[in-house]
């Protein structure tokens, strides 16, 4: 791995999912040179796993809907610790971005009058989720890739970024190696945008694929000098598949419940009546996940240790029209026809609501020239993400980050470059290649299981402290990990970086979970079961003298005009009777 090449662009984007592609399009529209780096094939980015829909307050079916209603649902169901500026920006701008991506080829479902169709998603007061069947993320990704191709934006697949290049608080590029041929590239840029996704793969049951979402973008940002926000806030989606083992945790989209699916325990009880009698299956994800977890823990579980999700009361034609991907998914993996029998499901680690701390308007980080967008950034969702907001987030804030980075590049009077920083990054990469008595992948598997056991859906201090000790024990083994590279085989190198990032993400999550001694949204503590007003803040993970330290940041208050407007919005969400229309 001695050969190194240099590459120069105005804007470097790390991550080729929806946020990265939308950022690139915006930068290209600003007449700048743009390069995108991705770890996997550009047609198979993680965005395609976002199935159910994208939110925009058009009011096409419920004319009472508005951006204010969308704001209220997002803010209050995030337990009031989401950044109100971020939420307002998303709620106001989502309609224009949804129309734009539909025009580019996302091909959303339409009503007879030609307007976009909209469905219910959990905890939304009105029908505001636009969709393409149950493959909305895939439709959006295809539309973005088509636009990127039209604009001749370069995408480099199979590049693993090991370090951001930072000198005196300014980011000037990144170092990567090609996972297929080992070629090392130093990427020089005026500005860098992180769009690398979250860290939910560090749990054994996850809706992420086996080799994605290890928190590598979070680790890159932290090493560069950024703080992280709300790392304890990890969304466990209520419904993941249980079998076979190789796909355990695979998402069963919320669209199933949005289209009328009901949850039952082994006794045939529609148990959501106990946990949220008004909203039932369309309650917030944190409450439905907690309900599923509780029923399973109380022994009222299905043969494979889950609960039942049943939509067999709907016609087969309806099911195939509304959720075709899920219909095929259960036939292919379990030989189950969901129009005739229920699905077995259980909670699965799904979404990182915390992430890199960014400015609400610029999506800039604490490092000059470094921006972040999509799941790698934090602050929008608070303690609970509403379904359909993530696809809106990647388009809206991908564009915002692309615009801000472009303005930064255009206004530069001089560029920062440091050969010593580049040399150190290259040396650090070479140091990873060594003999040893440990292997990365078994340690990754061990880490994922201990995170599920000690920092899962419901947490307590004893388990969290034990989990932290176990994480630190694995960290001590890093120096003993063997990394061997050869022509055409660089998987050991990928694994060691995945392990380092996963350990960092795990330690950050546990430290934040220990710090928050209450139950709020997705963060549930069996030893602190109540929501506490004194904990209405955001947690911050900082680098203090080389160690991870957790601190608190007072939550941002809404401006008075918005407070007065929002206070008049009726929060009594009653969709019980609408669910089975």
């Amino acid at each position: 791995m001695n050969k190194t090449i240099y590459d120069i662009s105005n804007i470097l984007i790390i991550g080729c999912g929806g946020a990265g592609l939308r950022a690139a399009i915006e930068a290209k529209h600003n007449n700048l040179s743009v390069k995108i780096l991705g770890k996997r094939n550009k047609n198979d980015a993680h965005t395609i796993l976002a199935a159910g829909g994208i939110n925009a307050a058009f009011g096409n079916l419920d004319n009472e809907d508005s951006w204010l209603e969308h704001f209220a649902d997002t803010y209050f169901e995030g337990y009031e610790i989401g950044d109100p500026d971020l939420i307002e920006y998303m709620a106001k701008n989502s309609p224009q971005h949804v129309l734009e991506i539909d025009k580019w080829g996302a091909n959303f479902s339409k009503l007879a009058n030609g307007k976009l169709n909209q469905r219910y998603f959990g905890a939304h007061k009105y029908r505001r989720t636009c969709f393409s069947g149950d493959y909305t993320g895939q439709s959006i990704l295809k539309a973005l890739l088509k636009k990127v191709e039209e604009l001749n934006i370069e995408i480099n697949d199979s590049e693993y970024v090991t370090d951001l290049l930072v000198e005196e608080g300014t980011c000037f590029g990144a170092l990567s190696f090609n996972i297929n041929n080992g070629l090392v590239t130093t990427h020089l840029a005026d500005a860098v945008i992180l769009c690398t996704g979250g860290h939910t793969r560090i749990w054994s049951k996850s809706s992420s694929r086996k080799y994605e979402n290890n928190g590598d973008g979070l680790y890159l940002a932290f090493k560069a000098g950024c703080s992280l926000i709300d790392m304890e806030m990890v969304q466990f989606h209520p419904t993941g598949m249980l079998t076979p083992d190789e796909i355990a945790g695979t998402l069963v989209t919320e669209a199933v419940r949005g289209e009328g699916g009901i949850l039952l325990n082994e006794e045939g009880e529609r148990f959501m009546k106990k946990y949220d009698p008004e909203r039932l299956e369309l309650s917030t994800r944190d409450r439905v996940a907690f309900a599923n977890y509780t029923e399973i823990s109380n022994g009222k579980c299905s043969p494979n240790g889950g609960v039942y999700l049943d939509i067999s009361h709907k016609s087969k034609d309806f099911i195939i029209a509304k959720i075709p991907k899920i219909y095929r998914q259960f036939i292919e993996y379990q030989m189950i026809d969901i129009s005739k029998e229920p699905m077995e499901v259980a909670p699965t680690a799904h979404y990182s609501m915390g992430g890199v701390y960014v400015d609400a308007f610029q999506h800039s980080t604490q490092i000059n020239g470094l921006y972040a967008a999509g799941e790698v950034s934090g602050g929008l969702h608070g303690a609970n993400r509403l379904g359909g907001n993530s696809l809106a987030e990647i388009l809206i804030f991908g564009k915002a980050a692309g615009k801000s980075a472009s303005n930064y590049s255009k206004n530069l009077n001089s560029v920062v470059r440091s050969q010593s920083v580049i040399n150190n990054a290259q040396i650090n990469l070479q140091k990873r290649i060594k003999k040893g008595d440990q292997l990365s992948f078994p340690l990754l598997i061990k880490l994922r299981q201990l995170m599920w056991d000690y920092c899962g859906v419901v947490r307590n201090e004893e388990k969290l402290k034990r989990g932290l000790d176990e994480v630190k024990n694995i960290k001590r083994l890093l120096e003993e990990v063997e990394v061997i590279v050869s022509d055409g085989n660089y998987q050991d190198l990928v694994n060691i970086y995945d392990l380092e990032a996963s350990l960092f993400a795990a330690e950050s999550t546990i430290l934040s979970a220990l710090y928050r001694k209450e139950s709020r949204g997705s963060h549930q503590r069996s030893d602190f079961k109540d929501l506490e007003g004194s904990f209405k803040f955001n947690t911050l993970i900082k680098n203090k003298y080389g160690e991870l330290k957790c601190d608190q940041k007072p939550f941002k208050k809404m401006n008075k005009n918005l407070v007065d407007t929002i206070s008049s919005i009726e929060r009594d969400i009653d969709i019980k009777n609408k669910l089975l229309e």
Side-chain angles (χ1 to χ4, degrees):
M1 295 189 68
N2 294 321
K3 187 176 180 181
T4 304
I5 63 172
Y6 283 77
D7 187 80
I8 301 176
S9 58
N10 294 126
I11 309 296
L12 177 68
I13 295 167
I14 304 172
C16 61
L21 296 177
R22 188 61 189 87
I25 292 167
E26 189 62 22
K28 191 69 172 182
H29 282 160
N30 278 273
N31 299 314
L32 296 175
S33 60
V34 185
K35 177 162 284 187
I36 305 172
L37 305 180
K39 284 193 296 186
R40 62 183 304 119
N41 186 287
K42 63 185 179 183
N43 297 297
D44 195 30
H46 205 261
T47 303
I48 69 170
L49 299 185
I54 180 170
N55 297 328
F58 290 114
N60 291 341
L61 290 170
D62 301 309
N63 58 20
E64 307 97 325
D65 200 11
S66 67
W67 77 263
L68 285 166
E69 294 283 0
H70 189 184
F71 175 97
D73 285 348
T74 302
Y75 181 74
F76 290 110
E77 298 301 349
Y79 294 79
E80 301 182 49
I81 62 168
D83 186 325
D85 291 331
L86 280 170
I87 299 170
E88 180 179 355
Y89 193 90
M90 178 196 68
K92 282 182 173 178
N93 286 280
S94 189
Q96 69 188 61
H97 285 75
V98 170
L99 290 174
E100 177 184 67
I101 197 67
D102 185 61
K103 182 180 177 181
W104 289 354
N107 193 29
F108 296 136
S109 175
K110 306 294 193 302
L111 298 167
N113 62 8
K115 292 183 178 180
L116 297 183
N117 197 359
Q118 298 187 277
R119 62 170 39 137
Y120 282 117
F121 252 32
H124 291 277
K125 187 174 181 180
Y126 299 112
R127 288 171 286 188
R128 68 169 65 99
T129 306
C130 306
F131 60 94
S132 298
D134 58 354
Y135 48 89
T136 310
Q138 187 173 13
S139 295
I140 289 174
L141 186 69
K142 285 183 177 179
L144 289 170
L145 284 169
K146 179 183 176 184
K147 195 70 174 177
V148 163
E149 186 176 351
E150 290 173 359
L151 295 172
N152 294 315
I153 298 172
E154 184 178 355
I155 300 178
N156 286 18
D157 292 333
S158 305
E159 291 291 323
Y160 198 113
V161 175
T162 63
D163 283 288
L164 298 176
L165 305 175
V166 178
E167 172 72 1
E168 296 182 354
T170 298
C171 184
F172 64 91
L175 188 81
S176 74
F177 69 91
N178 186 285
I179 63 177
N180 295 321
N181 60 29
L183 182 65
V184 178
T185 304
T186 299
H187 305 270
L188 302 178
D190 299 337
V192 176
I193 307 176
L194 283 173
C195 303
T196 52
H199 69 302
T200 51
R201 185 66 267 177
I202 70 170
W203 283 268
S204 60
K205 295 180 180 66
S206 170
S207 62
S208 295
R209 289 177 287 207
K210 292 186 182 298
Y211 304 106
E212 293 183 37
N213 281 15
N214 293 293
D216 43 315
L218 303 172
Y219 192 36
L220 286 172
F222 184 81
K223 289 190 296 181
C226 299
S227 296
L228 307 183
I229 187 172
D230 296 337
M231 285 295 289
E232 75 278 20
M233 296 304 178
V234 176
Q235 183 170 79
F236 289 85
H237 196 287
T239 54
M241 295 181 74
L242 289 162
T243 59
D245 288 344
E246 61 267 22
I247 56 93
T250 297
L251 184 67
V252 180
T253 173
E254 189 168 311
V256 177
R257 288 179 285 126
E259 298 295 349
I262 61 174
L263 289 164
L264 305 168
N265 60 25
E266 180 63 17
E267 298 172 357
E269 176 191 12
R270 191 176 179 183
F271 56 84
M272 281 307 300
K273 293 179 180 179
K274 297 184 295 185
Y275 299 92
D276 194 336
E278 296 298 319
R279 297 183 291 190
L280 298 169
E281 285 79 12
L282 290 189
S283 183
T284 56
R285 286 181 175 177
D286 62 297
R287 295 180 200 180
V288 182
F290 179 78
N292 290 357
Y293 175 87
T294 303
E295 295 297 306
I296 294 166
S297 299
N298 289 341
K300 298 180 181 181
C301 54
S302 63
N304 289 302
V307 294
Y308 294 109
L309 175 61
D310 190 8
I311 197 168
S312 63
H313 50 275
K314 295 288 189 178
S315 72
K316 187 171 184 176
D317 288 343
F318 176 90
I319 290 170
I320 292 175
K322 296 292 187 178
I323 48 172
K325 188 176 178 182
I326 293 297
Y327 181 79
R328 293 194 306 272
Q329 189 170 301
F330 275 87
I331 288 178
E332 291 171 2
Y333 286 122
Q334 298 181 1
M335 292 298 291
I336 286 177
D337 183 345
I338 65 173
S339 70
K340 297 178 180 178
E341 54 185 307
M343 302 158 260
E344 286 185 81
V345 296
T348 179
H350 181 57
Y351 195 88
S352 307
M353 291 171 291
V356 180
Y357 177 46
V358 294
D359 174 80
F361 301 104
Q362 303 297 320
H363 252 60
S364 55
T365 70
Q366 294 152 301
I367 300 300
N368 293 327
L370 181 62
Y371 301 80
E375 192 176 353
V376 73
S377 63
L380 174 65
H381 306 290
N384 178 60
R385 178 177 72 82
L386 297 189
N389 273 353
S390 62
L391 288 175
E393 174 186 19
I394 61 173
L395 295 179
I396 295 164
F397 296 114
K399 177 179 179 178
K403 181 178 180 180
S404 298
S406 297
N407 290 337
Y408 176 85
S409 174
K410 288 181 174 182
N411 290 318
L412 280 178
N413 294 319
S414 61
V415 294
V416 172
R417 299 285 187 265
S418 170
Q419 190 60 51
S420 64
V421 169
I422 295 170
N423 292 342
N424 286 337
Q426 293 172 350
I427 291 169
N428 287 336
L429 173 58
Q430 295 294 334
K431 282 182 177 178
R432 298 299 194 284
I433 304 169
K434 63 184 186 301
K435 295 285 187 179
D437 298 324
Q438 298 287 336
L439 296 175
S440 297
F441 199 68
L443 295 178
L444 269 171
I445 298 302
K446 182 178 181 180
L447 175 65
R448 291 168 184 172
Q449 190 58 52
L450 76 85
M451 285 299 290
W452 187 262
D453 292 339
Y454 302 132
C455 189
V457 180
V458 178
R459 306 154 176 179
N460 63 51
E461 185 163 352
E462 180 183 355
K463 283 187 173 182
L464 289 168
K465 286 185 174 179
R466 185 172 175 183
L468 186 60
D469 288 340
E470 293 289 337
V471 169
K472 290 181 177 179
N473 287 338
I474 296 176
K475 278 181 70 176
R476 295 187 186 99
L477 297 175
L478 278 174
E479 291 302 317
E480 302 175 28
V481 172
E482 181 170 84
V483 176
I484 298 175
V485 301
S486 59
D487 289 343
N489 189 352
Y490 298 90
Q491 192 58 47
D492 275 3
L493 199 55
V494 171
N495 289 347
I496 188 65
Y497 277 104
D498 281 350
L499 177 59
E500 288 178 357
S502 296
L503 286 165
F504 164 76
E507 186 175 358
S508 299
T509 301
I510 294 175
L511 285 172
S512 296
L514 280 166
Y515 197 89
R516 187 175 289 280
K517 300 182 188 300
E518 64 161 354
S519 290
R520 183 182 294 267
S522 64
H523 173 70
Q524 293 293 312
R525 296 268 307 245
S526 61
D527 49 349
F528 296 99
K529 297 182 178 180
D530 297 326
L531 184 73
E532 297 289 348
S534 60
F535 281 86
K536 195 174 180 182
F537 55 73
N538 301 105
T539 57
L540 286 178
I541 290 290
K542 300 178 178 180
N543 187 340
K544 191 170 184 179
Y545 306 116
E547 293 188 6
L548 303 187
K549 294 296 180 182
C550 193
D551 201 353
Q552 63 176 269
K553 171 188 171 295
F555 79 103
K556 188 186 293 185
K557 296 181 180 180
M558 281 189 267
N559 66 66
K560 187 178 184 305
N561 290 336
L562 193 54
V563 170
D564 292 341
T565 305
I566 293 298
S567 64
S568 66
I569 291 181
E570 178 59 54
R571 297 297 306 151
D572 180 20
I573 301 175
D574 182 6
I575 56 175
K576 178 173 61 176
N577 296 322
K578 298 177 183 177
L579 178 61
L580 298 179
E581 283 181 349

